[in-house]
Amino acid sequence: MTLRRKLVVGNWKMHGSHKANAELLEGVLGARPFGADVAVCVPFPFLSETAVTLAGSDVRWGAQDCSAHENGAYTGEVSAAMLAEFGCRYAIVGHSERRAYHHEGDQLVAEKAKVALGRGVTPIVCVGETLDEREGGKTDEVVKRQLSAVIHTLAHCAGEIVVAYEPVWAIGTGRTATPEQAQAVHALLRAQLHAATPHADVMKILYGGSVKPDNAAALFAQPDIDGGLIGGASLKASDFVAICRAAG
Ligand code: 13P
């Protein structure tokens, strides 16, 4: 039995509009209370309206990235300090789409996590293998390497992050990891955290990759799966609410 309260985070990716966001958030707010912690990570331009809409509720919000720099001449970047001013509780870092399309490496991801934590924004650190890596038997090696960079960079603060295991082959494909496949990697990550911090037992490790209302409960029932990072299904209030309910 786990004492960890589950966390469900919607990653809207590059979706949304004033109208769509208002309807979505209204749907989520109207479905409370949830038995799990719930958050949405929205595109930067929508942080302000999200903060206003969710203020005073127990639904949290965050961003999908942050700069590894504190401030300065970095056109197009958004700092963790700015996110903190918008009341962001979370910032996703190291999402596989940023690793793949923006060439973010393990060390950059670790620096982003460090800067976020320094501003009181909890980084949701994503790790996960590609299909080639899984088929080549490299899953364990890849996720351990990705998490190891963060652990070493954060040192004694490593216990303050949220980890998200997102197998790249399961993202947006409708092909989810089985609960057993996901649990095996989560257990590995938990063991790695245990070796690094006394807080591993209370840390949250989320699963992401084609989580839907009909597979969420089985995933969340696994002992080391502490909730989900939800892409496509977080854009439809009824689906997202159903997943939040499956978490507790
Ligand atoms: P999907 O739920 O659309 O597969 O996306 C998962 C994801 O990448 C969340 O960060």
Side-chain angles (χ1 to χ4, degrees), residues 1 15 33 36 43-44 64 71 82 87 98 115 118 128 137 157 163 167 170 182 188 197 241:
M1 201 193 105
H15 294 287
F44 294 129
Q64 299 169 13
N71 55 52
M82 295 171 191
R98 296 211 60 87
V115 168
C157 297
V163 176
L188 182 87
T197 163
V241 164

Side-chain angles (χ1 to χ4, degrees), residues 11 13 95 97 166 170-173 208-212 229-233:
N11 173 9
K13 307 193 180 183
H95 192 280
E97 288 150 15
E166 298 207 307
I171 294 177
T173 59
S210 297
V211 179
K212 306 290 176 203
L229 185 53
I230 319 299

Side-chain angles (χ1 to χ4, degrees), residues 1-209:
M1 201 193 105
T2 170
L3 298 175
R4 290 183 294 273
R5 185 175 163 86
K6 293 215 176 350
L7 169 64
V8 177
V9 181
N11 173 9
W12 290 3
K13 307 193 180 183
M14 200 171 72
H15 294 287
S17 66
H18 292 310
K19 185 167 177 287
N21 304 346
E23 286 172 11
L24 179 51
L25 292 176
E26 192 184 319
V28 175
L29 284 173
R32 288 174 306 144
F34 299 114
D37 294 332
V38 172
V40 289
C41 287
V42 309
F44 294 129
F46 297 139
L47 278 175
S48 176
E49 67 195 42
T50 300
V52 169
T53 305
L54 298 181
S57 83
D58 55 359
V59 177
R60 306 162 179 182
W61 60 93
Q64 299 169 13
D65 187 28
C66 75
S67 176
H69 304 286
E70 286 287 350
N71 55 52
Y74 301 103
T75 302
E77 295 246 63
V78 174
S79 73
M82 295 171 191
L83 299 183
E85 281 207 317
F86 274 111
C88 285
R89 173 87 174 240
Y90 300 106
I92 297 171
V93 299
H95 192 280
S96 63
E97 288 150 15
R98 296 211 60 87
R99 291 181 191 261
Y101 309 145
H102 301 271
H103 311 292
E104 296 192 6
D106 296 337
Q107 194 51 42
L108 179 68
V109 172
E111 298 295 336
K112 289 183 174 197
K114 185 173 182 180
V115 168
L117 265 188
R119 294 291 173 171
V121 176
T122 300
I124 299 175
V125 178
C126 300
V127 301
E129 81 288 1
T130 63
L131 187 58
D132 274 357
E133 288 163 343
R134 173 158 285 262
E135 289 178 344
K138 295 211 169 78
T139 298
D140 294 7
E141 175 190 326
V142 169
V143 299
K144 280 169 86 172
R145 189 202 72 222
Q146 291 172 333
L147 185 57
S148 170
V150 176
I151 287 172
H152 284 108
T153 300
L154 297 187
H156 65 280
C157 297
E160 295 171 36
I161 64 171
V162 170
V163 176
Y165 169 55
E166 298 207 307
V168 178
W169 48 272
I171 294 177
T173 59
R175 182 180 167 191
T176 186
T178 65
E180 295 73 24
Q181 279 175 323
Q183 166 59 25
V185 177
H186 281 234
L188 182 87
L189 295 170
R190 178 102 47 210
Q192 190 178 0
L193 291 168
H194 265 298
T197 163
H199 306 298
D201 271 335
V202 295
M203 291 178 70
K204 294 189 207 300
I205 308 178
L206 312 182
Y207 169 79

